[in-house]
Amino acid sequence: MKLNELTIKEAKGGLKSKKFSSVELTKACLEQIKKHNKDLNAFITVTEKEALDSARKADDLASQDQVLEAKSLLGIPIALKDLFSTKGIKTTAASNVLKDYIPQYDAAVVKKIKDAGAIIIGKTNCDAWAHGSSGENSDFGPTKNPWDKEYVPGGSSSGSAVSVASDMCIASTGTDTGGSIRLPASFNNVVGLKPTYGRVSRYGIIAMASSLDSIGHFTKTVEDSALFFNVTAGQDKMDATTLPNPVEDFTKDLNKGIKGLKIGIPKEFVTSDLDNEAKEKFEETVKTFANLGAEIIEISLPYTEYGIAAYYIIQPSEVSSNLARYDGIRYGNDRSYFGDEAKRRIMLGTFTLSSGYYDAYYKKAMAVRTLIIKDFNDAFQKVDALISPVCPTLPWKLGEKINDPIKMYMSDVLTVTANLAGIPGLSLPIGFIDGLPVGMQILGPQLSEVKLFQIGYAYEQATQWRKQKPAL
Amino acid sequence: MNNEPLTINYEPVIGLEVHVELKTKSKMFCSCSADYFGQKPNTHTCPVCLGSPGALPVPNGKAIDWCVMIGLALNCKIANFSKFDRKNYFYPDLPKGYQISQYDQPFCLKGFITLSNGKKIGITRVHMEEDTAKLTHQGENSLIDFNRSGVPLVEIVTEPDFENAKEVIEYLKKLQQIVRYLDVSDADMEKGNMRLEPNISLREITMNNELLTINNLPKYKVEVKNINSFRFAEKAIEYEIRRQTEILSENKTPVQETRGWDEDKQKTVSQRIKEEANDYRYFPEPDIPPIRFTQNQIRQLADQMPELPDAKLARLIKEYNLSKYDAEILTREKEMTDYFEEAVKVGKTFKINPKQIANTVINKKIDMNNILPAELVKNIVNFKKTDDIDENKLQEITDKVIKENQKAINDYKSGKVQVIGFLIGKVKQHFPTADSNQIKTALEKKLK
């Protein structure tokens, strides 16, 4: 096995037992990037020099056992979505507006990851400003799906998902405002976590829609996802919306199994709108859960059908305000550099917030949001977690939906409600259809990540879909 | 334009928006120093107050407490549930493209200030927001200093309850005194930490069958900016009342607009014509969770507040048997009252009565920073002693001064009574600790 194919856990083991060095591990990843990034376009910036410098430092530190214990990502190459501010390293949000912008500070999570000893290997491509479900809205060209380069990898965290799926790094970060981690994870056969809103600091991450943005990550396994979350979760004094709850060891219940757990299937998520093959795949998954001893219960989330409408009012409203600072006075490039999708959302949001329309749109959408929260609260009175497909369709061909924004928006129909409710979701592989990956999401109440990892791990161990790799 | 008295057909309707900058150590939403005055430009900045991509605001708890205290001091109701909102508009001094302010749920609502004539000026709301950066224009270029960006600002909005400039000035002085008593702002107009924008219009009053009819609020409103002293405020309001009266008496309606006071020209000039209200697209600030106050928290803040000017005035009159006039002077600044009360305490042991101390503090313009209250009392005591002993000496010196200053004496006798001050000074050279009144009496007796 090549070093770049390792998981966090495996890489940590190898570094500890001195089977290889961080420099070797980092070089293996850089090698893979050099080989395939041209085709896949997963990275906007590769920080080769900085990465190798950090790797050398990590190797020096690794000689001390206490450091190895304390720094849980010591020497592990990580890629960052290009929305995460990195001091001294270009951070573009995949938009031409910021194509030359170099932040003067690190995002809180970047600091945490660096403090844990991780090697920042580069900044990944995404839909510009995280606006999109396919990765095609990047001003730096679309990222390709490594399972079939004719297909989209899902978005907006396209490059982050692809960089993990194609072993260009060991793990990567992403943001999920309406499904931007869970969807690309499911299109790439990797594990993606959208944490509880406020569990991970948003400080320093270029905002899309502030009340919805969740800061998460992509890994190769569920266990890695929990290990990574151990580093990123927690209250931050720089983000007033972070939760004060103490951080536990998120790996603690991995081996508990799911016997006796109540798993809900939201009937509004599994309808005739779902792609037939995807539906069959999901039904197989439900059977696996039953075989593992879970009690399967059908659940209703009646307000689901209003989710996408509410989301496409609240989100553009916040987007229109968050993008106002790129007014051409600073950052070099003016508003004419915004792409079509950003312009569309700025106009939508400006409209829905305007006086005379605010009550009919924004206020109403916020009322729907409250009802969706109630839907989930009611459901979690009855079940420990919900499982559902991530996307109503399989990955689609590049260009297929680019001129039909509504069709594109509908690909988020199963993911946006979790963002509106602020609950966590874990996306993981459930198999393949015609060689393209399919995923599911496990949703739980706020702060239930330990349980999501427990459930996800049990399923992953029983199926091992993750071991399949794309032929690049 | 003439300066004749106003025609009685119109009655001014004036409302006021006052911004008070708080003197917290740090800014409203970040830990940068809020002390920007006279600092090197762009030295008190960070990603938050520069509005850098990804930066987030974290509210300053002290500033919120102080805003609530101002509300309490202005007899406002404090909201149990409050939130911040984004006010969206583009201006180069606004780095985020929006200002964090409060829209429909401010911290404090519905208060009042009572003027000396007993009239209550209604306070509509008191809310918290952030200051903008400072623009300086140099020829073709505009420079932005972000040191002021994010400094905590409290906005106090009144009902349109003022009828003339005099009321406005009294209100402003009271407000200034209150925030200084609370020690939450220097409220210095010249430094810009107290800013005001009056809204001025006139309504018709018609006499119909000897029945006075006051029409509703006028259909237009003129906002005046660029006022950086109370004196300017008075002049600008009076000017506007005259200007609008003139327009109205020609049966025309003044334009709804923003005007600026031009001190050189002694008039207001049009700055911006508001055709319709600006649409700021307010919505709840998603980066800051709503803020809840319990009754207990509000009570604790009230307990922390010092005695306020009105209460202090009443107490001084009652407790020390002072005249309203004296008490008013003594309470103008909190430091002066404290000084007075400290001196009264010491004076008690020497049997000096408060009235005497009040006279000394008021008439002698004591340098409070350099003469301790105890020292002041000692001077009064010493003066009393020497006074008794040296009556003859005083007579002697007075005669001498009169003899040596015949020109002044002639002036005095011909009606220029103010030269008495010069003569008092001459006598005082021999009695540095003496009470001027004593000398004055001695002189006047001789000059009769």
Side-chain angles (χ1 to χ4, degrees):
Chain A
M1 196 181 221
K2 291 186 194 151
L3 293 182
N4 53 307
E5 292 175 9
L6 298 176
T7 64
I8 293 176
K9 183 150 193 243
E10 291 160 351
K12 270 168 71 95
L15 287 168
K16 195 176 178 187
S17 60
K18 309 273 184 288
K19 272 193 202 141
F20 50 83
S21 69
S22 173
V23 170
E24 288 168 310
L25 179 63
T26 305
K27 277 187 172 160
C29 292
L30 288 167
E31 200 60 37
Q32 184 78 345
I33 294 171
K34 269 179 204 159
K35 234 191 266 176
H36 300 291
N37 193 48
K38 226 173 130 192
D39 287 344
L40 296 174
N41 200 21
F43 283 85
I44 291 174
T45 305
V46 180
T47 51
E48 179 167 359
K49 194 188 158 293
E50 293 90 339
L52 288 171
D53 284 349
S54 313
R56 274 187 283 273
K57 275 185 205 137
D59 284 334
D60 288 345
L61 284 171
S63 54
Q64 307 157 37
D65 274 356
Q66 319 98 283
V67 179
L68 211 55
E69 285 301 314
K71 292 187 176 284
S72 58
L73 294 176
L74 189 67
I76 312 283
I78 304 289
L80 303 173
K81 187 176 186 178
D82 212 13
L83 241 48
F84 288 59
S85 295
T86 41
K87 189 176 179 175
I89 296 169
K90 228 167 43 170
T91 301
T92 66
S95 168
N96 278 332
V97 175
L98 290 184
K99 76 174 179 212
D100 302 311
Y101 168 62
I102 297 172
Q104 53 164 331
Y105 73 114
D106 274 332
V109 168
V110 173
K111 189 173 180 304
K112 277 188 165 187
I113 294 170
K114 278 184 174 175
D115 287 349
I119 312 301
I120 307 301
I121 199 160
K123 307 294 292 288
T124 61
N125 200 357
C126 55
D127 287 295
W129 311 104
H131 299 168
S133 311
S134 69
E136 293 164 292
N137 289 332
S138 170
D139 289 347
F140 296 78
T143 306
K144 313 280 174 59
N145 192 315
W147 294 89
D148 187 332
K149 287 168 201 142
E150 306 259 290
Y151 285 79
V152 300
S156 69
S157 311
S158 52
S160 287
V162 169
S163 65
V164 173
S166 59
D167 293 313
M168 293 170 165
C169 58
I170 308 300
S172 66
T173 65
T175 60
D176 189 315
T177 306
S180 283
I181 287 174
R182 287 164 289 157
L183 188 126
S186 78
F187 281 13
N188 283 282
N189 201 44
V190 296
V191 177
L193 174 71
K194 174 238 175 277
T196 303
Y197 180 81
R199 199 55 164 144
V200 178
S201 172
R202 292 181 293 117
Y203 186 74
I205 291 155
I206 296 175
M208 176 177 159
S210 313
S211 75
L212 300 159
D213 291 346
S214 284
I215 312 311
H217 46 265
F218 296 88
T219 53
K220 296 169 188 176
T221 66
V222 172
E223 184 171 16
D224 275 10
S225 193
L227 286 169
F228 202 96
F229 201 43
N230 278 347
V231 175
T232 59
Q235 192 174 19
D236 175 19
K237 65 176 188 342
M238 299 303 281
D239 177 356
T241 62
T242 48
L243 301 168
N245 308 60
V247 174
E248 44 205 331
D249 175 8
F250 291 101
T251 64
K252 68 178 183 155
D253 288 347
L254 285 183
N255 289 304
K256 267 196 171 169
I258 55 169
K259 207 165 178 181
L261 285 189
K262 290 179 179 150
I263 302 291
I265 314 294
K267 65 177 186 195
E268 291 82 1
F269 281 47
V270 194
T271 64
S272 51
D273 293 340
L274 209 59
D275 174 273
N276 268 338
E277 288 172 300
K279 196 171 174 187
E280 272 170 37
K281 204 83 215 156
F282 180 69
E283 277 157 5
E284 264 175 45
T285 305
V286 175
K287 268 183 211 139
T288 310
F289 273 93
N291 292 338
L292 289 168
E295 187 185 338
I296 306 297
I297 298 170
E298 192 188 72
I299 286 290
S300 175
L301 300 168
Y303 288 99
T304 301
E305 63 171 309
Y306 303 108
I308 204 86
Y311 175 81
Y312 269 98
I313 288 169
I314 295 167
Q315 175 260 102
S317 296
E318 294 183 13
V319 163
S320 72
S321 176
N322 284 335
L323 293 183
R325 69 190 63 190
Y326 308 105
D327 54 8
I329 292 172
R330 296 180 292 163
Y331 312 113
N333 296 324
D334 67 24
R335 285 179 267 202
S336 66
Y337 287 75
F338 276 121
D340 286 348
E341 186 58 29
K343 285 180 186 163
R344 188 176 291 126
R345 293 187 192 200
I346 291 169
M347 286 190 281
L348 276 173
T350 303
F351 178 78
T352 51
L353 289 178
S354 292
S355 75
Y357 299 99
Y358 181 85
D359 286 354
Y361 293 99
Y362 186 83
K363 241 183 170 164
K364 194 117 193 184
M366 289 305 270
V368 171
R369 187 172 189 173
T370 307
L371 292 169
I372 285 170
I373 292 170
K374 190 180 170 292
D375 261 5
F376 279 114
N377 284 344
D378 291 348
F380 293 127
Q381 296 292 314
K382 298 178 198 128
V383 294
D384 294 292
L386 299 163
I387 59 171
S388 87
V390 176
C391 184
T393 68
L394 299 177
W396 54 91
K397 280 198 166 165
L398 287 155
E400 198 180 313
K401 297 186 186 177
I402 199 71
N403 293 319
D404 190 345
I406 296 289
K407 214 170 185 181
M408 189 74 95
Y409 292 173
M410 287 310 285
S411 52
D412 297 335
V413 67
L414 304 177
T415 44
V416 293
T417 50
N419 297 80
L420 289 168
I423 59 168
L426 183 68
S427 170
L428 67 161
I430 59 167
F432 297 83
I433 296 168
D434 299 331
L436 289 171
V438 188
M440 69 157 160
Q441 56 178 343
I442 310 171
L443 304 174
Q446 290 206 334
L447 297 168
S448 66
E449 283 87 348
V450 168
K451 187 143 279 168
L452 301 190
F453 292 133
Q454 177 191 340
I455 296 167
Y457 187 77
Y459 176 82
E460 181 189 70
Q461 294 308 303
T463 54
Q464 301 289 1
W465 298 110
R466 69 157 191 101
K467 291 199 167 153
Q468 299 193 36
K469 295 280 183 181
L472 292 174
Chain B
M1 186 170 296
N2 59 53
N3 285 334
E4 277 166 21
L6 304 175
T7 53
I8 50 153
N9 308 28
Y10 301 103
E11 176 187 77
V13 181
I14 307 166
L16 211 54
E17 280 175 27
V18 178
H19 283 91
V20 171
E21 220 169 42
L22 299 183
K23 56 174 184 185
T24 47
K25 273 210 179 74
S26 56
K27 290 187 181 181
M28 189 58 219
F29 298 113
C30 61
S31 56
C32 288
S33 166
D35 179 19
Y36 66 88
F37 194 80
Q39 302 292 323
K40 191 169 174 251
N42 297 308
T43 51
H44 293 181
T45 64
C46 73
V48 177
C49 54
L50 288 172
S52 296
L56 298 172
V58 176
N60 180 335
K62 177 120 258 162
I64 294 174
D65 285 354
W66 286 2
C67 179
V68 170
M69 280 187 185
I70 292 174
L72 288 169
L74 300 179
N75 308 296
C76 289
K77 292 183 182 71
I78 308 303
N80 292 327
F81 179 93
S82 192
K83 65 179 169 65
F84 284 99
D85 297 277
R86 289 190 186 174
K87 181 180 182 179
N88 294 286
Y89 67 95
F90 289 103
Y91 210 70
D93 65 8
L94 198 63
K96 299 187 293 295
Y98 55 84
Q99 180 192 30
I100 304 177
S101 181
Q102 295 193 285
Y103 182 49
D104 53 348
Q105 292 177 295
F107 288 129
C108 326
L109 283 160
K110 289 195 170 78
F112 60 87
I113 276 187
T114 312
L115 301 183
S116 57
N117 62 6
K119 179 174 174 179
K120 277 186 179 166
I121 301 297
I123 309 281
T124 317
R125 54 187 283 153
V126 177
H127 77 246
M128 185 89 245
E129 58 186 35
E130 57 177 335
D131 212 343
T132 58
K134 205 170 176 181
L135 285 175
T136 315
H137 305 287
Q138 291 188 349
E140 299 253 293
N141 301 314
S142 292
L143 304 173
I144 314 178
D145 175 10
F146 289 96
N147 285 354
R148 200 181 69 182
S149 168
V151 168
L153 212 52
V154 169
E155 182 174 330
I156 301 138
V157 183
T158 74
E159 293 293 308
D161 286 348
F162 302 97
E163 284 163 64
N164 54 55
K166 224 177 110 246
E167 286 181 354
V168 172
I169 303 305
E170 190 190 343
Y171 164 87
L172 288 170
K173 282 187 175 160
K174 284 209 143 191
L175 181 62
Q176 186 184 49
Q177 191 187 23
I178 288 169
V179 296
R180 284 180 176 170
Y181 260 62
L182 291 172
D183 202 21
V184 298
S185 172
D186 291 334
D188 185 334
M189 296 262 314
E190 262 137 56
K191 283 189 176 170
N193 40 42
M194 182 167 175
R195 297 168 219 159
L196 40 118
E197 285 154 30
N199 282 299
I200 307 155
S201 46
L202 300 182
R203 69 177 150 207
E204 259 179 73
I205 304 173
T206 42
M207 290 287 274
N208 226 344
N209 302 327
E210 297 188 5
L211 246 168
L212 189 68
T213 317
I214 298 174
N215 293 337
N216 287 335
L217 289 184
K219 288 189 179 65
Y220 71 95
K221 176 162 92 167
V222 175
E223 188 177 282
V224 184
K225 291 188 189 258
N226 197 28
I227 293 175
N228 37 30
S229 77
F230 291 163
R231 184 80 198 109
F232 288 6
E234 196 173 352
K235 286 196 276 188
I237 291 168
E238 280 168 359
Y239 177 87
E240 266 307 302
I241 292 171
R242 286 199 304 274
R243 187 184 72 87
Q244 293 178 24
T245 306
E246 212 156 83
I247 296 171
L248 286 163
S249 38
E250 285 164 16
N251 266 334
K252 288 187 256 176
T253 308
V255 181
Q256 168 125 342
E257 61 182 339
T258 301
R259 299 176 72 86
W261 175 249
D262 187 327
E263 177 62 11
D264 293 337
K265 295 187 180 137
Q266 292 289 305
K267 60 194 243 181
T268 63
V269 288
S270 182
Q271 284 187 337
R272 185 158 51 95
I273 295 182
K274 279 186 185 174
E275 306 221 312
E276 50 190 297
N278 274 327
D279 187 352
Y280 291 117
R281 286 171 281 117
Y282 280 103
F283 74 104
E285 167 56 276
D287 288 329
I288 304 172
I291 291 145
R292 290 174 175 83
F293 286 108
T294 63
Q295 286 309 308
N296 201 27
Q297 282 170 310
I298 295 169
R299 213 173 302 126
Q300 277 176 8
L301 285 175
D303 289 346
Q304 282 173 39
M305 283 165 51
E307 187 180 28
L308 293 169
D310 282 350
K312 210 175 265 277
L313 181 84
R315 186 173 61 77
L316 252 53
I317 294 171
K318 196 166 168 237
E319 202 171 320
Y320 305 113
N321 202 21
L322 299 180
S323 68
K324 194 177 175 207
Y325 176 81
D326 283 356
E328 239 159 36
I329 297 174
L330 286 175
T331 52
R332 246 174 233 164
E333 283 168 35
K334 188 167 163 280
E335 292 70 24
M336 199 157 173
T337 326
D338 291 349
Y339 187 89
F340 164 74
E341 293 207 89
E342 186 57 36
V344 168
K345 243 187 255 168
V346 184
K348 233 181 194 171
T349 22
F350 297 97
K351 299 220 163 72
I352 310 280
N353 74 46
K355 186 120 192 142
Q356 211 169 343
I357 290 171
N359 284 340
T360 314
V361 172
I362 293 166
N363 296 331
K364 287 204 165 171
K365 294 212 168 105
I366 303 297
D367 178 3
M368 295 191 294
N369 293 322
N370 289 314
I371 300 172
L372 293 172
E375 257 176 271
L376 180 84
V377 173
K378 214 169 77 191
N379 288 346
I380 297 173
V381 173
N382 287 341
F383 172 73
K384 281 192 111 178
K385 279 181 197 155
T386 52
D387 193 28
D388 291 340
I389 301 163
D390 290 317
E391 183 62 36
N392 289 333
K393 184 114 202 233
L394 178 64
Q395 297 296 330
E396 187 189 308
I397 298 292
T398 318
D399 288 339
K400 190 169 165 247
V401 167
I402 290 173
K403 204 187 265 173
E404 285 169 4
N405 295 281
Q406 273 308 312
K407 190 182 175 308
I409 302 303
N410 291 338
D411 284 351
Y412 180 85
K413 288 188 171 162
S414 67
K416 286 188 187 164
V417 288
Q418 64 270 33
V419 297
I420 194 89
F422 165 77
L423 295 168
I424 293 170
K426 286 279 170 194
V427 179
K428 223 175 169 183
Q429 284 173 357
H430 302 266
F431 303 99
T433 58
D435 179 1
S436 304
N437 283 326
Q438 207 95 23
I439 299 170
K440 195 177 169 204
T441 318
L443 278 164
E444 279 170 348
K445 223 184 261 173
K446 301 225 178 235
L447 293 171
K448 248 186 212 161

